[in-house]
Amino acid sequence: GPSAGVTLFLELNSEREPLQDVAAVYLVQATAENLERIAADCSRRLYNKVHVYFTGRVERPQLEGLARDLVAAQAVPALAQVVDAYVDFVAVEPDLFTLNRSNSYASINAPGLNEAQIREAMTSMTLGLLSVFHVAGGAAPLLRCAPGGPAQMLAEQLCDAMREHLQPRPGGGGPGLLGDALAAADRGRGRPLLLLVDRNEDLTTPLRHTATYQALVDDLLDHRLNRVKIEVEKRDGSSTRKSYDLNTAADAFYGRQAGSPFPEAVEANERELNDVRAREREVRAKTGANEDAPDAG
């Protein structure tokens, strides 16, 4: 936001006007389409300097392709920085995150999958969890899983990836992504424990759960990543879609009632509305306003 010096937010694929006196920060996934768009923006001289932060790992061939495109467009000076940020997950609550992978269950359990497809899905999950470890202060957790099946395969990939990122970066590039974990161990801090459990061990929970406020919102409404979209009917009979953000950290009522049975959440809402109305009457009485006067607007 503005406190970090960011004054304008634009989507990568939107049509953007040149702002040649400012620097731009790109936060993107390392896909071929995104790299091509960044190279095109640099060739058009949209911004004074470009800083590229990839949400996950970017491979060397991808960087070499970006370099070739920038050289061909004589736009190399526009690129100021390229960083593997390792933030490839979404924190939907203070104590809850998602890797935000679509069809993740089917990607490792669907009939007819070959080993390469399963390994690709596992690699994606591994990189997402590495991002969580990195953001959590460079933690290198102890891994525990049941033998056999997807959980063990993921644990083995995670173990190899953590071992790689505990080492210093090549070429004197500083400590590895999880280098702080070694320093924490030296200071006597214990390592966290990560339990990897196959979804097949508990298939019923996503399908049958209590009728809490939060669960019903997700079941019955268009709800994704804390944003819910609702069809609202207008006076002329037409309808429009409105979006609302439901965040347990930012919305006090939702934070208190998200895990409550829905009838209790309704009662709590009514109590809070009555409290607000009572305070309004007190304010009007003190200011001498007419309590029965129509609301402004």
Side-chain angles (χ1 to χ4, degrees):
S3 62
V6 179
T7 57
L8 183 64
F9 168 82
L10 297 170
E11 293 186 1
L12 179 64
N13 293 320
S14 64
E15 291 299 323
R16 289 166 279 127
E17 297 295 326
L19 296 170
Q20 296 175 344
D21 58 341
V22 302
V25 176
Y26 287 73
L27 180 63
V28 296
Q29 291 181 314
T31 65
E33 295 80 6
N34 290 346
L35 290 168
E36 289 173 4
R37 187 60 186 257
I38 292 170
D41 288 353
C42 291
S43 67
R44 292 172 56 200
R45 310 298 195 272
L46 285 187
Y47 309 108
N48 180 31
K49 291 292 182 181
V50 168
H51 303 258
V52 181
Y53 286 76
F54 292 107
T55 57
R57 184 174 66 189
V58 57
E59 303 293 347
R60 185 178 182 86
Q62 294 175 302
L63 289 176
E64 292 174 348
L66 176 62
R68 285 194 298 270
D69 291 342
L70 293 176
V71 169
Q74 297 183 346
V76 172
L79 185 62
Q81 187 181 29
V82 176
V83 177
D84 293 342
Y86 280 95
V87 290
D88 196 12
F89 69 100
V90 179
V92 292
E93 294 181 13
D95 298 314
L96 178 66
F97 70 88
T98 172
L99 299 184
N100 200 28
R101 304 301 196 263
S102 60
N103 300 318
S104 58
Y105 180 80
S107 69
I108 58 175
N109 288 283
L113 291 175
N114 58 44
E115 184 177 348
Q117 291 172 310
I118 296 175
R119 190 160 293 278
E120 180 182 359
M122 289 293 177
T123 299
S124 175
M125 295 178 195
T126 297
L127 294 176
L129 288 172
L130 275 178
S131 295
V132 177
F133 303 161
H134 171 54
V135 173
L142 299 169
L143 306 180
R144 295 292 183 267
C145 68
Q152 181 177 347
M153 184 182 296
L154 179 58
E156 290 171 350
Q157 281 206 18
L158 262 178
C159 187
D160 292 341
M162 287 194 299
R163 188 177 297 111
E164 173 189 347
H165 287 286
L166 283 169
Q167 303 302 318
R169 298 177 189 270
L177 185 71
L178 304 180
D180 289 342
L182 297 178
D186 290 339
R187 292 193 298 268
R189 288 176 51 191
R191 293 172 61 185
L193 175 66
L194 177 62
L195 299 177
L196 297 172
V197 182
D198 189 346
R199 180 76 272 173
N200 289 321
E201 298 291 338
D202 180 22
L203 277 174
T204 60
T205 298
L207 303 176
R208 300 180 63 187
H209 43 70
T210 56
T212 62
Y213 179 20
Q214 189 176 45
L216 286 174
V217 166
D218 190 64
D219 278 353
L220 302 177
L221 302 177
D222 182 359
H223 176 237
R224 177 173 170 74
L225 299 179
N226 291 345
R227 175 162 292 183
V228 61
K229 297 179 180 179
I230 300 175
E231 290 284 342
V232 178
E233 188 172 337
K234 299 163 66 174
R235 292 183 178 179
D236 62 3
S238 62
S239 63
T240 184
R241 285 176 70 82
K242 287 191 174 183
S243 296
Y244 300 91
D245 291 328
L246 293 178
N247 189 319
T248 57
D251 186 321
F253 178 82
Y254 190 64
R256 290 192 301 271
Q257 302 298 333
S260 300
F262 189 66
E264 292 183 12
V266 172
E267 292 176 3
N269 181 62
E270 186 64 28
R271 286 196 302 271
E272 293 199 10
L273 284 176
N274 289 335
D275 290 342
V276 170
R277 294 187 184 110
R279 288 195 295 270
E280 286 180 348
R281 287 194 294 270
E282 290 177 6
V283 170
R284 288 176 178 174
K286 290 179 181 178
T287 58
N290 185 353
E291 189 174 290
D292 296 326
D295 292 335

